[in-house]
Amino acid sequence: MTAPSGVRLGELLAALSFGTDLGMGHPTEHVLRQTFIALRLAERIGLGPAEREVVYFTSMVAWVGCHVDAYEQARWYGDDRAVKHDARLFDLDRPVPATAFLLTRLGGEVAWSARVRAGVAFLAGGWRETAAMFENHWRAASALVQDLGLPEPVLAGVEHTFERWDGRGEPEGRHGADVHVASRLINLADVVEVFHDVGGVPAAVRVARERSGGQFDPGLADLFCAEAAGLFEELDEVTGWDGVTEFAPTAGRELDDDELDAALAALADFVDVKSPYTLGHARGVADLAARAAEDGLDPHLLRRAGLVHDLGRIGVSNGVWDKRGRFTTGDREQVRLHPYLTDRILSCLPALAPVATVAAQHHERLDGSGYPSGASAPALGPEARLLAVADCHQAWSEPRPHRPAASPVDVAARLRAEARAGRLDGAAVEAVLRATGHRVRKRREWPCGLTAREVEVLRLLAHGLSQGEIAERLVISRKTTANHVEHIYAKTGARNRAMASLFASRHGLVGAGLEDPPSAL
């Protein structure tokens, strides 16, 4: 074990929960409030400390996978954050409300003719992507549970996230008490907290009664209705993570440095997978910033800052990030928020305060033209200046919806132009360019037995290309492409693009600066 990091597991999960709230379109602390309700009800039904710990951990990570296919959600419904939030307001297992919910949101806020075209495309394939989303979400959350080293019983709770009391849930259609008690508690607590936010205690009680025996355990629903007023009155007196963890007695284990680094890398992957255009971005920035550190700069701090610098991206809709046209003024204002949201997510990790400060300044510029604070040179330390350059280098080397990736020569020229204009630090620019002077060694062995050609196909698939586009890009037939995709799914256990992209991100197979597999050379 390496040195203690000063970060407790519970604190890390609280930070993660703030990101989850943002990605789900909820007010911050929704997950914390949901967790408080679930833990209080767990106490009432006699669950012991070990069982309540499972409830706590499961509640903190239950919804974290819900943005893994935000690309598909935004493609079909516009604002992925809004559709995830509003889904709580409907019992989607009832055909009429579920159909109405999907149809009224299909195509997002576009002209009626475009929504009709979206409807035709949805019937051709979008419904399959939507049907797969629940499985994508719990599988992604399960992967993070393993990455964070959470207790084994939490896996069962997470895997039952979308099961229902009436047996009409996913993935196994478990019924009644066969659904993990943690999941039963969390499903109820999640929905009633949303309804309370919208309409107070009466709305929360009403939805509990309406869904009792369907989505919700009727015994838990009755208990909640009997105690709702007191629960929410008590909840209003609780502030943040410390108040919630009072009811999770063993949730405070301190991570060592290696565990924290692994956890931050896992969180970075989960944010990057939100869009096929950012796969591997955070790891790339972290590695580049650490390699470029010189003259007394701390490479460990820079690596951590690189991993977490874009956590706030989860709070901005993919309808903005994946937009192919020019940003509107409103789009730009949303984008300018994401470094602030990064700082907000990290605010409950006092031991990482220096990391958070550097991470939140990665879009600031020396002349004060950056964001979110418009800080200028005197307020920007050498680490923040270097991270800003590393982020620019990585981002400009990657494709975006509105532009292709720039060549290394063009990236270098643009960085030096920004330094001459007084926006980027000249010494940091030269340090980053020196660090990129040696190409990364080629991989000779690929995970899960993937071949070099399958890695090529996987990268393109993860970046959102269709099988036809992959075939055209690699100059192979569509049948051959389909065979490669089938083999990739069989070897990796992925079943669709979203899960394949998560696999690629977790195994370091995507991101600018990677060598192509030998077959592509």
Side-chain angles (χ1 to χ4, degrees), residues 14-167:
L16 175 62
S17 77
F18 291 148
T20 302
D21 292 336
L22 293 168
M24 299 288 285
H26 296 314
T28 53
E29 298 197 359
H30 164 76
V31 169
L32 286 176
R33 291 169 65 86
Q34 157 199 298
T35 303
F36 177 90
I37 295 168
L39 288 172
R40 268 313 205 192
L41 292 175
E43 272 190 326
R44 301 291 201 274
I45 63 174
L47 297 189
E51 295 168 303
R52 294 202 308 275
E53 183 181 76
V54 172
V55 172
Y56 169 80
F57 284 132
T58 305
S59 181
M60 284 293 190
V61 300
W63 316 119
V64 73
C66 291
H67 74 274
V68 70
D69 43 23
Y71 174 73
E72 284 79 7
Q73 294 165 22
R75 182 170 64 185
W76 296 116
Y77 305 112
D79 188 338
D80 57 290
R81 298 173 66 246
V83 77
K84 286 192 284 279
H85 174 273
D86 292 351
R88 265 58 177 181
L89 304 178
F90 297 87
D91 187 346
L92 295 183
D93 195 62
R94 296 181 180 178
V96 173
T99 302
F101 175 78
L102 294 177
L103 290 179
T104 55
R105 286 157 178 78
L106 195 61
E109 297 179 3
V110 296
W112 179 250
S113 59
R115 295 183 68 179
V116 171
R117 290 194 296 272
V120 173
F122 183 81
L123 292 174
W127 65 271
R128 286 191 296 271
E129 290 183 358
T130 296
M133 286 179 183
F134 288 134
E135 182 175 353
N136 290 346
H137 299 172
W138 71 259
R139 285 189 180 278
S142 295
L144 188 61
V145 166
Q146 294 171 313
D147 287 344
L148 295 179
L150 293 172
E152 186 70 24
V154 177
L155 273 176
V158 168
E159 290 172 1
H160 292 185
T161 294
F162 300 105
E163 299 285 7
R164 295 168 52 101
W165 180 263
D166 60 10

Side-chain angles (χ1 to χ4, degrees), residues 335-401:
V335 168
R336 289 171 66 91
L337 276 175
H338 82 270
Y340 162 77
L341 296 176
T342 293
D343 189 54
R344 179 70 181 89
I345 290 169
L346 295 172
S347 63
C348 58
L349 300 172
L352 291 187
V355 172
T357 298
V358 173
Q361 293 180 330
H362 71 279
H363 277 296
E364 303 289 1
R365 296 295 180 259
L366 300 183
D367 64 352
S369 63
Y371 59 87
S373 301
S376 58
L380 302 175
E383 291 86 359
R385 298 179 184 206
L386 183 60
L387 184 66
V389 176
D391 177 62
C392 287
H393 188 287
Q394 186 72 17
W396 296 343
S397 301
E398 300 164 341
R400 290 294 182 263

Side-chain angles (χ1 to χ4, degrees), residues 4 14 23 87 145 161 186 197 200 239 242 254 265 270 288 293 381-383 393 396 400 445 496:
V145 166
T161 294
I186 292 158
D197 184 58
T239 303
D242 288 332
E254 185 173 350
F270 263 72
L288 179 53
E383 291 86 359
H393 188 287
W396 296 343
R400 290 294 182 263
E445 295 182 4
N496 48 50

Side-chain angles (χ1 to χ4, degrees), residues 156-483:
V158 168
E159 290 172 1
H160 292 185
T161 294
F162 300 105
E163 299 285 7
R164 295 168 52 101
W165 180 263
D166 60 10
R168 301 175 68 179
E170 301 284 347
E172 298 177 339
R174 288 177 174 267
H175 180 275
D178 286 341
V179 180
H180 198 289
V181 65
S183 299
R184 285 183 271 141
L185 287 162
I186 292 158
N187 268 297
L188 173 64
D190 169 53
V191 173
V192 299
E193 208 286 315
V194 169
F195 272 78
H196 178 265
D197 184 58
V198 173
V201 173
V205 169
R206 183 176 66 252
V207 72
R209 287 175 175 157
E210 288 174 352
R211 301 190 194 182
S212 177
Q215 182 180 359
F216 301 150
D217 177 335
L220 293 178
D222 289 345
L223 175 61
F224 168 77
C225 291
E227 304 207 9
L231 270 176
F232 283 110
E233 184 177 346
E234 185 180 5
L235 181 54
D236 288 340
E237 300 299 320
V238 173
T239 303
W241 179 82
D242 288 332
V244 172
T245 53
E246 177 185 343
F247 304 97
T250 59
R253 181 176 70 83
E254 185 173 350
L255 302 173
D256 66 36
D257 270 330
D258 286 347
E259 289 174 325
L260 178 60
D261 289 338
L264 295 181
L267 297 189
D269 290 341
F270 263 72
V271 173
D272 284 355
V273 80
K274 178 175 166 68
S275 170
Y277 296 98
T278 55
L279 294 172
H281 173 77
R283 284 183 184 261
V285 172
D287 179 63
L288 179 53
R291 285 190 288 119
E294 49 187 41
D295 295 330
L297 297 187
D298 183 352
H300 196 196
L301 182 149
L302 279 162
R303 182 178 296 279
R304 285 180 169 176
L307 289 173
V308 302
H309 77 285
D310 264 351
L311 293 184
R313 286 180 64 93
I314 200 171
V316 178
S317 169
N318 275 57
V320 174
W321 291 128
D322 297 333
K323 189 173 184 177
R324 293 186 179 275
R326 297 184 63 180
F327 280 173
T328 65
T329 300
D331 294 335
R332 285 192 292 272
E333 287 304 309
Q334 288 192 60
V335 168
R336 289 171 66 91
L337 276 175
H338 82 270
Y340 162 77
L341 296 176
T342 293
D343 189 54
R344 179 70 181 89
I345 290 169
L346 295 172
S347 63
C348 58
L349 300 172
L352 291 187
V355 172
T357 298
V358 173
Q361 293 180 330
H362 71 279
H363 277 296
E364 303 289 1
R365 296 295 180 259
L366 300 183
D367 64 352
S369 63
Y371 59 87
S373 301
S376 58
L380 302 175
E383 291 86 359
R385 298 179 184 206
L386 183 60
L387 184 66
V389 176
D391 177 62
C392 287
H393 188 287
Q394 186 72 17
W396 296 343
S397 301
E398 300 164 341
R400 290 294 182 263
H402 58 285
R403 59 158 176 81
S407 70
V409 171
D410 288 341
V411 169
R414 186 174 175 186
L415 286 173
R416 286 177 170 137
E418 290 292 293
R420 288 194 298 273
R423 289 185 285 271
L424 293 177
D425 183 281
V429 166
E430 295 308 316
V432 166
L433 292 179
R434 280 194 296 273
T436 58
H438 300 283
R439 303 187 72 186
V440 179
R441 294 178 60 187
K442 300 174 184 177
R443 290 178 179 264
R444 298 184 181 275
E445 295 182 4
W446 305 95
C448 293
L450 292 171
T451 66
R453 176 61 89 180
E454 287 165 355
V455 171
E456 290 180 291
V457 173
L458 172 59
R459 287 177 178 172
L460 297 176
L461 179 68
H463 282 294
L465 275 68
S466 68
Q467 291 191 19
E469 291 169 328
I470 293 172
E472 182 177 353
R473 179 75 64 88
L474 298 180
V475 196
I476 56 178
S477 71
R478 291 196 178 199
K479 183 177 180 180
T480 299
T481 301
N483 288 337

